[in-house]
Amino acid sequence: MVWNQNASLVRPQNLYLVVCISFVFGVSSAFPDLSDKFCTFKVTFRNFRLILSWELKNHSVVPDRYTLRYTVISRPDQVKIVEHCSNTTASSCDLTDVWEVLPETYSIRVDGFRGNTTLVQCSSYLFLVTHMSLEPPEFDIVGFTDHINVLVKFPPVIPKILGGGVLKFYLSLIIEEQSGNIVKKHNPELNENITGNFTYVIDKLLPNTNYCVSVYFKPRNLGAVHRSPVKCILLQPGQETESSESAKIGGIITMFVIAAVIVITIIILKRVGYICLRNHFPKVLNFYNFSTWVFPEMPPLETVAFVEVIHVNRKKKVWDYNYDDESDSNDDTATPQTNAGGYTMHGLVGRLLGPASASSATPEDCMEPDAEEPDPSEPDTDIDTEPLVPSGPSPGQSEGTSGAYECRGKQLQDPITEEDSWSTGGSGDKITFNVNLSSVFMRVLDDDLEVPPGLPSFPEETYNLQESHRLETSSLAANGEGTQPLFPTPSAECQWPEDVLSDESDSSESDVDIGDGYIMR
Amino acid sequence: MSTKPDVIRKCLWPACLVGLLITGVLSLDCNLLHFHLRKVTWQNLRLLSSMSNSFPVECLREIKAFELPQEILSHTQPVKRYIVEAFYEMSIQAFNIFSQYTFKSTWENDYLKQIQIGLDQQLQYAERCLEEEEKEEDDSKEMEEDGINHSEATVPQLSNLELRRYFNRIDNFLKEKKYSHCAWEIIRVEIRRCFYYYFQKFAPLLRKK
């Protein structure tokens, strides 16, 4: 310091001058200026009050009274005494209403007395802008569910020394929020004319979490920062959260109770027998073979041979007592017709086996039909109830009836086995063709139609009498109704009476009155 | 294995220089006048306060009121230009005064040099900002009438004269006291007071702008 270095040379002369000048001006300055050695001064803003405090370095010297004087360096005024800090026992003085200009430099002097003796004189000069220490303001915190209200206490009237925008531009209010190792700083904007308490809300906080809050001023001159004591609070879950959680829990419990009651009721009713629950799900709900369900296996390609059995209506011949040649009978026979599909259409003339027909057609090896054979006088019903291809016991059928048809099949075996294709030829009274009955769709045409529509072309197959018979018996059992007894299933043992077809075609024509249905396989 | 620290060491200095350069460039931006003014003011206050930690009691009787101008700004537009002009006037006057400081203490010389360097930088900054302001005004002068321009030109002169008179009083005090120690102490305190007083006045105006 400059004046310290030169003080050793100038001090005796200046001391004399100071003493003389002080007597002239009436300034009581009995002791040299050695205040730096005895006192330490401190200027702080405590609760927005400008407090000047001092502390003696030599603790053995304890004055009982102090008097504070000051001078504003920029004003050539006399030294001023602070009246409320004259002969005070406190080692501090509130100068809020005394010093009103911040950028001033104040020269201060504190005289310590014991009785009438001046024990010590402390002098210093203070430039408040750089020497002022800002203590943190008082504050309170109120915790809620997810936010904290910080109440910073400001005086109702801001001191003049902090007016003029000093508080806003010189000081910066910082509110620190700490949770664990996470520290967040909030810098609320202060109004120039801020008065009264200031409330700041720290929001977006986590419930049921401990938060600590600290408040302090941060001077823009990069001076020392004095933090306030930390105040901590644990945020509790609010009533709204608790009620919503309890409502959710209650709702879940209620749903479980209702579901349990329903299940128990169903079980009881099932055991009692009041309701019957299916044990087996329908096939559509069987997800056992899910892949199969999603990607259904295509049925094996099987050759489908469509056979259209054309019913040729023949007029009932009325014997006109003409004994001419019987060449007319040839006209009535179904002549094979070819269509665009390559099939040779043969008209099958089916007849029902009545008692007379049965006796004439049945060979020695065949079984006799029972008395339940259909009556020829009722061709419609007989046809419906006596399928041409027996497939085992079915409603409306009897074993005897099936046996009669079986017999028919037997009679046909020999000529059929020798041929493996449609035979277009043959005698006029004989029609033989091979059909795979396992894939035959037969349709009985109406009386109006003599020529069926074009048939699809399918490869001809060899008709296996034995196998087809077994298949027929099994497949037609379920299709008892609507099946058309047009196509007999010959067995291996019996042979179709060749004469039966041609001779009895007349009677069979009128007897055949079948509907429009297909025999589906 | 030691390549990383070497690389860091090599890059550290250039990075620091670049950072300082950027900071310096940004701080010299006239649009950041508020930040520059605050930075310069606090820097000067620290330097002037560090030169002397106490004020000699014997110098109290040599105190003089230099009558710092309370109102040096015109309330007409533009405010920024007047602030820059006032800032420029203060800087150049203080630089001239401290150039006459002849105290030969080493400790004082170091601080004095720092103050002079800082004031020189302030002058350069203020000059550059004034040139920019003049260019903007030249562009707008063609759109305005001559009478309005003439009236605007007189206001800055009045405000700068007050400052010049103020610093003339300070200079005269030094000469009168023959550049004594107490005179320099009193001048140091007065200039420090001047810098902070106008910063306290300019800062709210710049923030509002």
Side-chain angles (χ1 to χ4, degrees), chain A residues 80-326:
Chain A
K80 296 181 180 179
I81 297 175
V82 181
E83 293 183 359
H84 61 273
C85 295
S86 176
N87 293 324
T88 180
T89 58
S91 60
S92 63
C93 183
D94 188 346
L95 298 173
T96 306
D97 299 326
V98 180
W99 294 350
E100 297 180 351
V101 183
L102 187 62
E104 293 287 356
T105 302
Y106 298 91
S107 177
I108 57 175
R109 194 179 87 179
V110 173
D111 299 328
F113 304 97
R114 182 186 289 271
N116 294 328
T117 307
T118 302
L119 298 180
V120 65
Q121 280 188 340
C122 301
S123 297
S124 182
Y125 89 111
L126 300 170
F127 182 52
L128 294 181
V129 176
T130 57
H131 290 93
M132 186 171 57
S133 175
L134 298 164
E135 290 188 358
E138 292 183 357
F139 70 101
D140 289 326
I141 58 174
V142 179
F144 296 90
T145 306
D146 58 351
H147 65 280
I148 295 175
N149 285 355
V150 181
L151 182 67
V152 182
K153 296 181 180 180
F154 279 77
V157 179
I158 298 295
K160 289 184 180 179
I161 198 169
L162 296 177
V166 173
L167 193 63
K168 184 177 181 180
F169 299 111
Y170 177 72
L171 303 176
S172 178
L173 181 66
I174 304 296
I175 299 176
E176 258 188 20
E177 154 215 338
Q178 184 176 359
S179 174
N181 295 328
I182 300 173
V183 179
K184 292 184 181 179
K185 294 185 180 181
H186 304 267
N187 187 7
E189 193 75 15
L190 299 178
N191 296 326
E192 292 185 14
N193 300 323
I194 183 171
T195 56
N197 294 336
F198 172 77
T199 301
Y200 183 79
V201 179
I202 303 175
D203 56 358
K204 298 179 183 179
L205 302 179
L206 298 176
N208 200 22
T209 307
N210 187 41
Y211 286 92
C212 295
V213 180
S214 175
V215 178
Y216 59 91
F217 283 112
K218 183 180 178 182
R220 295 186 186 276
N221 61 349
L222 303 180
V225 174
H226 301 278
R227 282 183 168 82
S228 67
V230 175
K231 292 187 178 181
C232 299
I233 188 170
L234 177 64
L235 299 183
Q236 296 290 342
Q239 292 182 358
E240 295 177 357
T241 306
E242 287 179 344
S243 63
S244 65
E245 288 182 355
S246 62
K248 288 180 183 178
I249 294 172
I252 293 171
I253 293 172
T254 305
M255 288 176 61
F256 274 114
V257 169
I258 293 171
V261 168
I262 291 172
V263 170
I264 292 171
T265 304
I266 291 171
I267 291 172
I268 292 172
L269 291 176
K270 181 183 177 184
R271 290 193 175 183
V272 168
Y274 193 78
I275 59 175
C276 295
L277 298 179
R278 293 185 62 142
N279 295 326
H280 302 287
F281 289 99
K283 288 184 179 179
V284 293
L285 295 180
N286 184 10
F287 297 100
Y288 196 76
N289 294 323
F290 184 76
S291 60
T292 307
W293 179 70
V294 175
F295 303 102
E297 294 181 358
M298 298 296 292
L301 296 177
E302 56 185 16
T303 305
V304 177
F306 284 91
V307 174
E308 189 166 33
V309 179
I310 303 170
H311 174 67
V312 178
N313 290 324
R314 296 185 180 179
K315 295 182 180 178
K316 184 175 181 179
K317 270 193 172 178
V318 179
W319 188 52
D320 55 353
Y321 303 99
N322 187 2
Y323 292 94
D324 291 340
D325 56 339
E326 298 182 351

Side-chain angles (χ1 to χ4, degrees), chain A residues 1-3 5-6 14 18 21 33 36 71-76 102-105 107 123 125 127 129-130 163-164 166 169-170 189 192 220-222, chain B residues 38 42 45-46 49 51-58 60-61 63-66 103 105 107-108 181 188-190 192-193 196-197 200 203-204 207-208:
Chain A
M1 296 175 60
V2 175
W3 75 277
Q5 292 178 2
N6 297 325
N14 289 343
V18 166
I21 292 170
D33 185 11
D36 292 339
T71 303
V72 181
I73 293 178
S74 62
R75 301 173 195 171
L102 187 62
E104 293 287 356
T105 302
S107 177
S123 297
Y125 89 111
F127 182 52
V129 176
T130 57
V166 173
F169 299 111
Y170 177 72
E189 193 75 15
E192 292 185 14
R220 295 186 186 276
N221 61 349
L222 303 180
Chain B
R38 185 174 70 185
W42 286 114
L45 292 179
R46 281 195 296 270
S49 299
M51 290 179 67
S52 176
N53 291 332
S54 63
F55 186 83
V57 178
E58 62 273 15
L60 291 175
R61 51 186 165 270
I63 294 172
K64 182 181 179 179
F66 299 99
F103 225 85
S105 168
W107 176 83
E108 275 188 343
H181 176 70
R188 179 178 64 85
V189 171
E190 185 63 28
R192 182 176 65 181
R193 171 175 169 256
Y196 186 80
Y197 178 81
Q200 189 176 340
R207 286 177 71 94
K208 285 180 182 178

Side-chain angles (χ1 to χ4, degrees), chain A residues 3 5-17, chain B residues 58:
Chain A
W3 75 277
Q5 292 178 2
N6 297 325
S8 59
L9 299 175
V10 180
R11 188 180 296 177
Q13 299 177 3
N14 289 343
L15 180 59
Y16 177 75
L17 290 174
Chain B
E58 62 273 15

Side-chain angles (χ1 to χ4, degrees), chain B residues 77-94:
Chain B
Q77 296 294 331
V79 176
K80 182 181 176 183
R81 178 181 174 82
Y82 297 136
I83 291 174
V84 176
E85 289 181 352
F87 187 63
Y88 177 82
E89 193 66 35
M90 283 191 295
S91 300
I92 194 168
Q93 295 293 335

